[in-house]
Amino acid sequence: MANKENRNGNTPLSAAEITEMKRGLNRLARNLWWTWNQSAQEVFAELSPRAWQNLYHNAVAVLHEVSDAELQARLQNPELAAKVRAALEAFDAYLNEKQTWAAEHAPALQRNPVAYFSAEFGFHETLPIAAGGLGILAGDHTKSASDLGLGFVGITLFYREGYFQQEINSDNWQVDYYTQLNPRNLPMEPVLDARGERVVCEVEIGMSQVFFYAWRVNVGRCTVYLLDSNHPENEQLYRDLTLRVYGGDSTTRIMQEVLLGVGGVRLLRALGLQPSVFHLNEGHAAFLALELIREKRAQGKTFEAALAATRAECIFTTHTPVEAGHDRFTPDLMHYALHKLATRLKVPLPELLALGRVNPADQTEPFCMTVLALKASRAANAVSELHGQVSRQMWNCLFPGLPAEQVPIGHVTNGIHLLGWMKGPARQFWTKKNGGNFEGVANTPEFWQRLADPAFCSDEELWAFRYQLKRELIEFARRRLLLQGQRVTKGDYITFDHLLNPDALTIGFARRFATYKRAPLIFDHFSDIVALAKDKGRPIQFIFAGKAHPRDDEGKRYIQKIIHLSKFSELQSHMVFIENYDMHVARQMVSGCDIWLNNPRRPLEASGTSGMKAGPNGCLNLSILDGWWREGYDGTNGFAIGDDSHPDNIEEQDRRDAENLYRVLTEEVIPCFFERDERGIPRRWIQIIRRAMITLNPQYNTSRMVQEYARRFYLAR
Ligand SMILES: *Cc1c(COP(=O)(O)O)cnc(C)c1O
């Protein structure tokens, strides 16, 4: 691309080189690879630091902000040009890498990829089309599929108003509002045909033909397609199907799911794709099986043969034991939404309804998407070992006569995309530790094992690293609180600059405010917690964040309670609630907190992933032994609340868990954190951080997880 002199910055860049770089930057901004590449992010941040901040780290929007003339001029700055060049070279090297894991282990999936269907994907804070952990997992799955070079396409919907934004009103009540997403300012592009026209597909919903477009999102080497029913020839009702993530009532929901499942397969065919396996990420996507059956019926297969052939192509991951997480539709609604489609399937509706029923003979039983997914897949899995046990019991009814242990639902424990969950300073820290390349080793046991050796990384270095991350979090929280305008008063003046104390043990809790996650549990021992917070020698403090589902008033009451405490109780200034939890807030919190608190009502947290994000940042888990932590905790690498059991009685469970939480906090966590040597270093605490990094990081990542899916499900028949 450039010659030697240019690299040294001695001669001006030619017009052709500038054009090439500008083109490169536009390509880079439109591939989400930059969201997990530090040097690429730095380029966009440097182009306009203020736009980078104000536009919420949106690379496409930053490029729109910087004019052609400015870009042209600034690229004549040799340092900036060198950074751009390095980022583009790394990007191209990534895209063109031939020796990937999949090239060796899964070459068959290159031509016939995995098609991964999910109602939500969380890639980045600027594309808010995820509601929570399920979507974040789908996003991380895709990023690792790309890193591994796996043949992989994703399917979801383009919700043009995304997931709701959260604001807290003067009654401390969550108010939901929506903003329109602008595709022009997002890393997405319309899917076009050979003539440059938008590809339009159709799907039967209700009594109508519904048209839809598609958008392409590039995630490294992988592509995710977003279906969009906002087509001028559709009735408004259908145009608004893709308005909001899980928006509307069950009628909207079933129609969204027809679009996702059936429409998704139609789009793949329109693009000439023949996936070798369809991965149903949660039951929302299960209608895709109906389209696969339709295709086979059209080729003349009997219904039974079509179903059997469909089963051979599908695998299913179930994500929650919570009842509300399993869509159920009444026979009337099914009739309304699927009547026309059923005709095309050449399957009588009763037979179709039977596919979603535990007892096919029961005409009143609602149609359950999880049941359909289980009946239409050759393999199914839960997302942690305990969740596997729970799911086998839950769905034993579908396998009468089989003991629960033999119900064919296995488990693949979730992970996170490690690089994507590390802030700049963390990436820099580990890159420097490893003498340059960190990307290549971030998921390996060998790298993290080196933490056992203080000569590789001293306690002092780790402690400085921890303080740096915590300082950044506290300043982030102060800034956000100021913007939120929550009047946090101390005496009679507002002091955002004195909010939170960098020396205090900082406990973070952020996730969806689903009631089973019991956000306010720790305040069951309120006066004791106040005493702990106010202990001048060993203070503790809390940072909360999270959204309640728009229709979940109980969850909103939890938020209200927590904000009320933060403003008006004795915990004032020791506790804050950060509004509008999203991936950016999550990244700040899992980096800067000392303790990541997780106290769900066991066994309802199928896996949980936010605690895994704490790992590479040196934040420690304090958690109920549910989901992933039941597997991850080994007695040396964090803190457990309670043991590997739970009472059946919920009141008893809540009481016992609150008590255990308080006990572990006061007897283990606080003494350990404040036990300092003559140099002020908490040696024992840092030893636990080392153990957490060694044992958790190489295991609870999506690189390991996607390899497991590939070996056990995508490739195996
Ligand atoms: C990681 C993450 C979640 C999932 O958190 P859990 O503790 O597993 O429920 C939800 N929302 C956001 C924004 C996240 O980053």
Side-chain angles (χ1 to χ4, degrees):
M1 193 159 74
N3 62 34
K4 263 260 160 17
E5 282 93 344
N6 286 342
R7 277 171 202 281
N8 298 332
N10 294 331
T11 47
L13 297 182
S14 72
E17 282 167 319
I18 295 269
T19 307
E20 171 101 21
M21 273 178 146
K22 285 202 298 204
R23 207 176 290 139
L25 279 173
N26 274 294
R27 261 194 322 122
L28 183 61
R30 284 168 180 78
N31 187 317
L32 287 167
W33 175 80
W34 67 258
T35 63
W36 70 97
N37 185 279
Q38 196 55 34
S39 55
Q41 286 171 37
E42 282 164 15
V43 165
F44 294 113
E46 182 169 341
L47 281 174
S48 172
R50 196 165 161 74
W52 179 251
Q53 279 274 321
N54 289 353
L55 301 170
Y56 217 42
H57 327 110
N58 182 334
V60 175
V62 164
L63 284 186
H64 285 151
E65 158 73 21
V66 179
S67 74
D68 236 31
E70 177 182 346
L71 196 53
Q72 184 145 336
R74 292 198 44 204
L75 287 173
Q76 295 293 0
N77 170 340
E79 278 97 53
L80 181 63
K83 276 187 205 167
V84 171
R85 200 175 282 123
L88 292 178
E89 277 170 10
F91 179 46
D92 285 327
Y94 180 89
L95 291 183
N96 298 325
E97 175 65 56
K98 293 281 177 285
Q99 264 143 10
T100 61
W101 179 87
E104 189 178 339
H105 296 99
L109 299 177
Q110 305 295 353
R111 204 151 44 85
N112 299 102
V114 177
Y116 182 93
F117 283 57
S118 180
E120 43 173 312
F121 277 87
F123 295 117
H124 188 253
E125 52 265 28
T126 52
L127 188 56
I129 55 168
L134 176 70
I136 309 289
L137 180 83
D140 283 5
H141 190 125
T142 311
K143 291 171 186 175
S144 283
S146 166
D147 290 344
L148 294 167
L150 203 68
F152 182 97
V153 291
I155 296 281
T156 189
L157 304 183
F158 174 54
Y159 306 98
R160 65 183 182 278
E161 290 189 347
Y163 195 55
F164 76 90
Q165 311 275 317
Q166 176 192 56
E167 217 169 67
I168 305 297
N169 73 11
S170 55
D171 294 327
N172 302 328
W173 192 251
Q174 168 180 301
V175 181
D176 328 322
Y177 70 97
Y178 293 83
T179 48
Q180 194 95 48
L181 302 177
N182 178 1
R184 201 183 93 86
N185 266 341
L186 289 168
M188 54 197 284
E189 50 210 49
V191 174
L192 307 176
D193 62 18
R195 291 165 304 156
E197 310 274 341
R198 291 199 71 168
V199 169
V200 179
C201 300
E202 296 175 34
V203 58
E204 298 76 28
I205 304 181
M207 289 310 288
S208 307
Q209 286 296 118
V210 175
F211 301 98
F212 63 92
Y213 300 117
W215 301 86
R216 179 197 325 275
V217 172
N218 302 309
V219 186
R221 288 182 275 242
C222 298
T223 307
V224 176
Y225 293 103
L226 279 52
L227 316 186
D228 181 355
S229 64
N230 190 17
H231 187 287
E233 283 179 42
N234 291 337
E235 287 170 51
Q236 196 60 40
L237 163 75
Y238 297 122
R239 296 187 71 162
D240 287 348
L241 274 189
T242 49
L243 194 59
R244 298 172 174 179
V245 183
Y246 305 134
D249 55 12
S250 56
T251 308
T252 316
R253 178 69 76 92
I254 194 172
M255 296 194 297
Q256 281 190 337
E257 294 184 359
V258 173
L259 177 62
L260 174 69
V262 179
V265 176
R266 300 235 174 121
L267 176 77
L268 292 172
R269 301 307 189 210
L271 299 174
L273 285 164
Q274 303 300 336
S276 56
V277 48
F278 292 83
H279 188 166
L280 287 61
N281 189 45
E282 194 50 293
H284 310 124
F287 284 144
L288 77 84
L290 301 187
E291 176 62 5
L292 295 179
I293 292 172
R294 188 198 63 76
E295 290 180 337
K296 293 166 182 53
R297 293 285 283 139
Q299 293 160 3
K301 285 206 166 81
T302 64
F303 176 65
E304 288 68 30
L307 176 60
T310 296
R311 277 177 59 93
E313 293 177 313
C314 293
I315 71 150
F316 167 54
T317 303
T318 178
H319 283 271
T320 182
V322 177
E323 273 302 323
H326 299 264
D327 285 325
R328 286 189 169 82
F329 301 121
T330 63
D332 279 354
L333 188 53
M334 284 291 290
H335 198 277
Y336 166 73
L338 290 183
H339 181 76
K340 196 170 175 192
L341 190 72
T343 318
R344 289 204 58 192
L345 253 73
K346 296 187 248 164
V347 178
L349 202 64
E351 227 168 299
L352 195 149
L353 288 181
L355 280 178
R357 284 183 175 143
V358 176
N359 175 7
D362 179 357
Q363 300 299 315
T364 61
E365 186 181 322
F367 185 95
C368 176
M369 295 298 276
T370 310
V371 173
L372 170 62
L374 287 167
K375 289 188 180 182
S377 300
R378 70 165 187 256
N381 72 284
V383 290
S384 72
E385 187 188 54
L386 182 59
H387 179 226
Q389 286 174 24
V390 171
S391 302
R392 286 188 288 278
Q393 267 155 18
M394 194 166 170
W395 299 109
N396 202 354
C397 51
L398 283 175
F399 305 89
L402 218 56
E405 314 84 74
Q406 287 173 30
V407 168
I409 302 177
H411 78 273
V412 175
T413 304
N414 283 164
I416 56 150
H417 186 263
L418 276 174
L419 293 176
W421 288 105
M422 298 167 78
K423 292 175 52 181
R427 295 279 292 266
Q428 279 148 19
F429 184 79
W430 297 120
T431 304
K432 212 157 135 200
K433 280 280 124 207
N434 203 44
N437 168 24
F438 173 60
E439 275 86 355
V441 299
N443 296 301
T444 64
E446 294 75 22
F447 175 75
W448 295 106
Q449 184 57 44
R450 295 177 72 184
L451 264 294
D453 179 7
F456 172 67
C457 188
S458 69
D459 284 357
E460 283 76 3
E461 280 174 290
L462 277 172
W463 195 228
F465 173 56
R466 288 298 314 146
Y467 251 110
Q468 181 189 0
L469 293 178
K470 184 150 59 164
R471 160 69 49 187
E472 287 192 3
L473 169 63
I474 287 174
E475 296 190 350
F476 170 77
R478 289 171 180 170
R479 229 170 27 245
R480 286 292 284 256
L481 267 284
L482 185 63
L483 291 172
Q484 284 170 208
Q486 281 180 23
R487 311 191 72 73
V488 184
T489 58
K490 194 177 193 183
D492 52 4
Y493 60 98
I494 299 165
T495 77
F496 293 98
D497 285 347
H498 296 282
L499 212 52
L500 302 174
N501 167 6
D503 296 323
L505 172 73
T506 303
I507 299 175
F509 183 105
R511 45 183 61 82
R512 286 184 306 116
F513 267 52
T515 43
Y516 78 85
K517 293 177 188 258
R518 298 187 297 188
L521 187 75
I522 195 166
F523 302 118
D524 279 9
H525 289 252
F526 186 70
S527 53
D528 298 324
I529 293 293
V530 169
L532 293 178
K534 289 187 173 290
D535 182 336
K536 287 259 179 323
R538 309 193 309 177
I540 68 171
Q541 62 192 3
F542 299 92
I543 303 183
F544 281 86
K547 295 174 174 178
H549 188 277
R551 282 190 298 275
D552 179 8
D553 281 351
E554 191 61 22
K556 291 182 189 177
R557 265 190 286 280
Y558 280 6
I559 291 176
Q560 187 177 41
K561 173 172 180 178
I562 282 169
I563 299 180
H564 184 85
L565 291 178
S566 76
K567 288 193 203 169
F568 300 112
S569 80
E570 292 161 279
L571 284 178
Q572 193 187 84
S573 96
H574 302 286
M575 173 172 168
V576 298
F577 182 91
I578 298 178
E579 285 174 19
N580 216 17
Y581 183 53
D582 65 3
M583 291 179 75
H584 181 56
V585 176
R587 206 178 290 108
Q588 304 296 322
M589 286 183 67
V590 296
S591 305
C593 288
D594 296 303
I595 282 288
W596 196 251
L597 176 62
N598 180 37
N599 42 239
R601 202 173 272 142
R602 202 180 115 128
L604 297 183
E605 191 64 271
S607 165
T609 52
S610 62
M612 303 174 188
K613 302 167 192 167
N617 300 297
C619 169
L620 295 178
N621 280 278
L622 165 59
S623 171
I624 299 274
L625 291 174
D626 197 6
W628 81 283
W629 189 236
R630 180 176 165 275
E631 292 156 52
Y633 176 66
D634 73 355
T636 70
N637 57 2
F639 303 94
I641 304 167
D643 55 24
D644 189 12
S645 72
H646 59 272
D648 288 332
N649 178 307
I650 284 181
E651 286 78 38
E652 166 67 7
Q653 189 179 5
D654 290 356
R655 193 191 54 72
R656 215 201 270 182
D657 288 344
E659 206 172 278
N660 282 329
L661 166 53
Y662 181 72
R663 199 177 43 73
V664 179
L665 189 61
T666 48
E667 291 176 12
E668 297 181 37
V669 179
I670 295 175
C672 183
F673 183 79
F674 287 106
E675 178 187 304
R676 308 293 165 91
D677 69 1
E678 64 286 352
R679 303 176 62 184
I681 308 278
R683 304 282 169 191
R684 220 152 50 85
W685 186 267
I686 290 173
Q687 180 54 26
I688 301 176
I689 292 180
R690 289 182 193 278
R691 287 290 306 156
M693 288 177 171
I694 293 168
T695 57
L696 305 176
N697 296 348
Q699 185 62 21
Y700 298 96
N701 61 66
T702 38
S703 180
R704 182 272 310 157
M705 183 190 85
V706 173
Q707 289 176 47
E708 215 175 313
Y709 273 110
R711 285 208 182 92
R712 290 177 44 199
F713 294 103
Y714 297 160
L715 296 168
R717 286 275 163 174

